[in-house]
Amino acid sequence: MTRMFVSLLALVAATPALALSDQPPAPADSAEVAAARAGDVVVTASRSGDAIPTDLIGSSVTVLDSDALAQRQTRMVSDILRDAPGVAVSRSGAIGGTTQVRIRGSESNHVLVFVDGIKASDPYYSEFDFAGLVADENARIEVLRGQQSALYGSDAIGGLISYATLTGREAPGITARAEGGSQGSFAAAARAGGVAGDNVDYAVSAAYLTTKGYPAAPGGSRDLGADNLGVSFKTNWTPSPVFKLTAVGRYNYTRADTDDQAIAPNSPVVLGYPVITLVDTPGSYYKNNTYYGLVSAELNLFDGAWSNMLSGQITDAARDGYTSAGYSYGDRGRRYRAAFNSTVRFGSEHVRNRFTYAVDFEREQARVIDPSGYAFTGTNRSDTTGFVAEYELTVDQRLSLGASARIVQYSRFKGAETYRATASYLLPTGTRLHAAYGTGIKAPTLTELFGYSTGQYIGNPNLQPERSKGWEAGVEQIFAGGNAKIGATYFDNRFEDEIQTVYVFANGQYVTSSANSATATSQKGVELYANIKLKDWRVDAAYTYLDAPQSVLAVARPAPADGSYQAPVPVITQAVRRPKNSASLNVSYVPDALPLSVTATLRYNGAMRDYAFSSSYQTLLVDLHDSVLVNLNASYDLTKRVQIFGRVENLLNRKYQEVFTYRAPGTTAYGGVRIKL
C-alpha cells in the first residue's frame, strides 16, 4: 500500500512535464461531443468536490435531476430510485415500512447514502432506511455504482447514493405545493431560496406526507398509516473570492404503524409448513427522529489551483417502538464525522491534472433502550480513521484516467486498504468507452457486534469486515446532436466474509445472531439505459440483468406427513429480494406551445425469492411473482404561477409483494396544486 501511495505521488511529480510540453491542436468537436461536455455533472465521483461531467467518469453513474423528480411527481425518494439501472428497492408494505435499496446485488447496508452532503445512515443499524425520506421541491440524486470504498470507506462497498436539495443560487424563488388523494393521503412541500447581497445564498425547504394507509397483512383489516416530515436548511457565505463557509441542517421525522408476525390461521403454506405471516397488531407503531448537521470551510488559492476544505458533521438518530401496552423498545445512535480535503490542480489547456489528499475521522456510538431491563443498555463505540490519495488525469476533455487508494484504521479491527482505478475515453464520433476496477470493505455494525434488543438478537464481537472486489466495462453512444444517449455496462463483483444472520438456540429459545460466511458470492450482470430528449419529448429507460447466486441453508424437501422438523441443507438460489430482471420506462410529453405536461411511467420488477420461516424457525425459500406497475401523471399551468396536477399509481391495479407476506398497495389517485413565486 505504501508503494501505491508513492507511485501516485511519483505520477503527479512526473506529469507537469507532460502538461507543459507542446501539444497539437485538439480535433474539432462534433455536435455529439459538444453536447456531452455540456451534459450532467457529478460531484460524488471524486473527493476533490469538483463537478465532473459524466462523460469523464469511468464509473457507472446515473443522475436523476430536478425535472425528472417533478415530471414523475416523486413523493418518496425511494420510488424514483427504481428508475436507475442496477438498483433494487424493496418496501415492507405501506409507506413508512422499512425500505431497503440495493445496488448490483449488494446488501442494503453496502450502499453509502449522503443527504445534503451528510452521511445519513442510522449509526445504530449502519444502514439508511428510505422509509422516511420525502422528496423536496428542487432536488437531485446521484447514483454511483460499484466499489467506492477507496474514496469513502466503509458502507460504499456496493455503491453510493447522494440526495441533495438545490442551493439558493441553483434554484432561486419560492414554491409551494399541496395534494390529497387515496388512503386519506395528504402531502405538502414548500421551499424558499435565493441570494442575499453578493456573497450569501440560502435555501429552506420542508416536505410533509401523511396517509392512513391500507391493510398490509394478508387477510388483515388494520390500515397501516404513516406521518413523514423533512425540513432542511443550507446556506453558503462567500466573503471573498477565495473563501467560503457552508452550513447545512436537516431534520427527519417518521411515525408509522407496524404489524407483528406470527403463525396465524391464514398463514401461507410453504413446502407443507405453515409459515410466519404478517398479522394485524392494533396499537403497534414506531417513531424515528433524526437530526443532521454540517459545517465546512473552503479556501481556494492561486486562482483555484489549490483548494482546501475542512468539514464536520453529525448524525443523531432516535428510534422508539410502541405496542398497545405502551413503550416497547428503543435505540439511539450518533455519528461524528470530520474530514480534511486538499486538492492541487495543474496542467495546460490540453492536459489537466488533479491530485487530492484527504483524511477522514469518524466516531459512531449507539445504545439500546429496553424498558424490560433485559438487554444491555450501555453505549458501544467505534472509531475509524481513513487516509485517501486520489489522482485524476484529463487529456483534451476526452480521455480521463483516475486512481485512488485508501488506508483505514479501525479501533476494533485490523487496518485495511482499498483501491480503485477508472478510465473513460470519448471518441470524436460521440462513442464513449469506460471501465473501472476496485475493492471495497464494510465494517460490522455496532448492532452486529454488540447490540441485542429484548433478547431477540445477540451480538457477535468476533465478526470481521466484509470485503469485495469487482470490475465493470461499458460503452455509451451519443447521437441526434447530443440529445440522445444509449449505453450498456457489464459488471462482475465478488464478496467475501459477508455477515449473515444466523439462528442459535440460547436461554431456551431461538434467537438471531450474526456470523461471517465461509463462502464467497458473486454478482454479475448487464445494465442498459437510454436517455432521449427530442423537441417536446423526454424518454428515460433502464434495464438490469442480475445473476447473483447465493448458497443458503434452507429446507429443500416438502414436510413429512407429521410436519416434523427437517435439518436445513445448502441451497443455491438467486439472492433474496433481488430480481434477475428489472426495467423502467418513463415517457414525458412537455410541449413548449402548451401549458401541459404528461408523463407515463412503467416499472417492471422480475420474479424473485424471499425467506419464509416455520414455527420451528426453519428457513424456507418462497417465490414472489413479477409485477408491472404503470403510473400516469399530468400537470396543467393555469397561469405562470399556478399549476394543477394529478396522478394515478398502479393504474392496472396489480397485486404483488416486494417483501414476503407484505401486501403492496392497489390503484391510488392524487391531485393538487403548485404555486411558484
Side-chain angles (χ1 to χ4, degrees), residues 50-282:
D50 292 351
I52 302 174
T54 54
D55 66 292
L56 293 177
I57 299 174
S59 302
S60 294
V61 62
T62 297
V63 176
L64 299 165
D65 59 20
S66 185
D67 287 342
L69 271 72
Q71 290 169 2
R72 301 171 204 178
Q73 295 189 22
T74 304
R75 297 299 174 257
M76 302 302 296
V77 172
S78 58
D79 288 337
I80 198 170
L81 291 175
R82 303 172 191 271
D83 298 335
V87 175
V89 180
S90 57
R91 186 171 70 200
S92 299
I95 288 177
T98 301
T99 305
Q100 297 180 309
V101 176
R102 298 172 172 87
I103 295 180
R104 288 182 172 175
S106 67
E107 294 293 345
S108 55
N109 65 351
H110 293 161
V111 179
L112 178 62
V113 178
F114 287 113
V115 176
D116 280 330
I118 303 168
K119 185 175 178 180
S121 61
D122 187 318
Y124 180 80
Y125 299 97
S126 193
E127 177 179 335
F128 184 74
D129 184 359
F130 281 85
L133 187 56
V134 186
D136 297 273
E137 293 282 277
N138 299 114
R140 74 190 300 270
I141 302 171
E142 297 176 5
V143 181
L144 194 61
R145 299 184 288 281
Q147 291 83 352
Q148 308 298 329
S149 292
L151 295 178
Y152 296 103
S154 185
D155 294 1
I157 192 170
L160 178 152
I161 297 173
S162 173
Y163 171 78
T165 54
L166 301 187
T167 67
R169 291 185 185 276
E170 293 170 324
I174 299 174
T175 62
R177 62 170 164 83
E179 70 175 46
S182 300
Q183 301 173 0
S185 298
F186 173 77
R191 170 191 164 87
V195 178
D198 296 329
N199 54 20
V200 175
D201 66 80
Y202 63 91
V204 182
S205 62
Y208 174 71
L209 187 153
T210 182
T211 177
K212 293 181 179 179
Y214 65 93
S221 60
R222 182 191 180 219
D223 292 336
L224 297 184
D227 297 303
N228 292 286
L229 172 67
V231 180
S232 70
F233 168 78
K234 66 170 57 176
T235 183
N236 295 290
W237 178 45
T238 312
S240 75
V242 301
F243 184 70
K244 181 174 75 172
L245 285 175
T246 299
V248 178
R250 188 175 184 92
Y251 169 68
N252 280 359
Y253 168 80
T254 300
R255 183 217 180 272
D257 295 328
T258 58
D259 280 338
D260 290 341
Q261 295 187 337
I263 298 292
N266 65 338
S267 285
V269 177
V270 180
L271 291 178
Y273 292 98
V275 296
I276 296 173
T277 187
L278 199 68
V279 296
D280 285 350
T281 313

Side-chain angles (χ1 to χ4, degrees), residues 305-391:
W306 183 25
S307 64
N308 297 274
M309 177 181 288
L310 180 65
S311 66
Q313 58 180 259
I314 184 172
T315 299
D316 193 311
R319 187 181 182 100
D320 297 290
Y322 301 83
T323 68
S324 58
Y327 189 62
S328 177
Y329 69 90
D331 53 70
R332 302 289 184 268
R334 180 174 293 178
R335 176 186 301 111
Y336 301 98
R337 185 177 174 91
F340 173 73
N341 290 19
S342 183
T343 300
V344 177
R345 304 169 186 85
F346 56 94
S348 67
E349 179 183 356
H350 298 281
V351 180
R352 301 178 182 178
N353 306 269
R354 183 166 51 225
F355 177 76
T356 300
Y357 175 74
V359 181
D360 301 324
F361 173 78
E362 183 176 295
R363 169 168 291 177
E364 291 187 331
Q365 57 190 45
R367 65 186 181 93
V368 170
I369 298 176
D370 179 17
S372 69
Y374 184 89
F376 171 70
T377 57
T379 299
N380 293 302
R381 191 182 76 186
S382 178
D383 294 343
T384 305
T385 305
F387 303 90
V388 181
E390 180 185 21
Y391 173 66

Side-chain angles (χ1 to χ4, degrees), residues 502-560:
V502 296
Y503 288 85
V504 297
F505 193 77
N507 300 322
Q509 62 176 335
Y510 281 97
V511 296
T512 56
S513 186
S514 295
N516 289 104
S517 174
T519 60
T521 63
S522 63
Q523 302 85 29
K524 304 175 183 178
V526 176
E527 298 165 349
L528 307 177
Y529 56 91
N531 307 108
I532 303 171
K533 297 180 181 179
L534 294 176
K535 295 184 178 179
D536 300 333
W537 296 88
R538 170 174 177 166
V539 179
D540 298 287
Y543 167 77
T544 303
Y545 171 77
L546 173 67
D547 180 25
Q550 187 177 44
S551 177
V552 299
L553 290 175
V555 173
R557 295 179 291 110

Side-chain angles (χ1 to χ4, degrees), residues 461-478:
N462 298 317
L463 291 172
Q464 295 300 311
E466 302 171 275
R467 297 177 180 272
S468 78
K469 58 183 177 181
W471 62 275
E472 63 176 82
V475 59
E476 185 175 271
Q477 180 63 51
I478 304 169

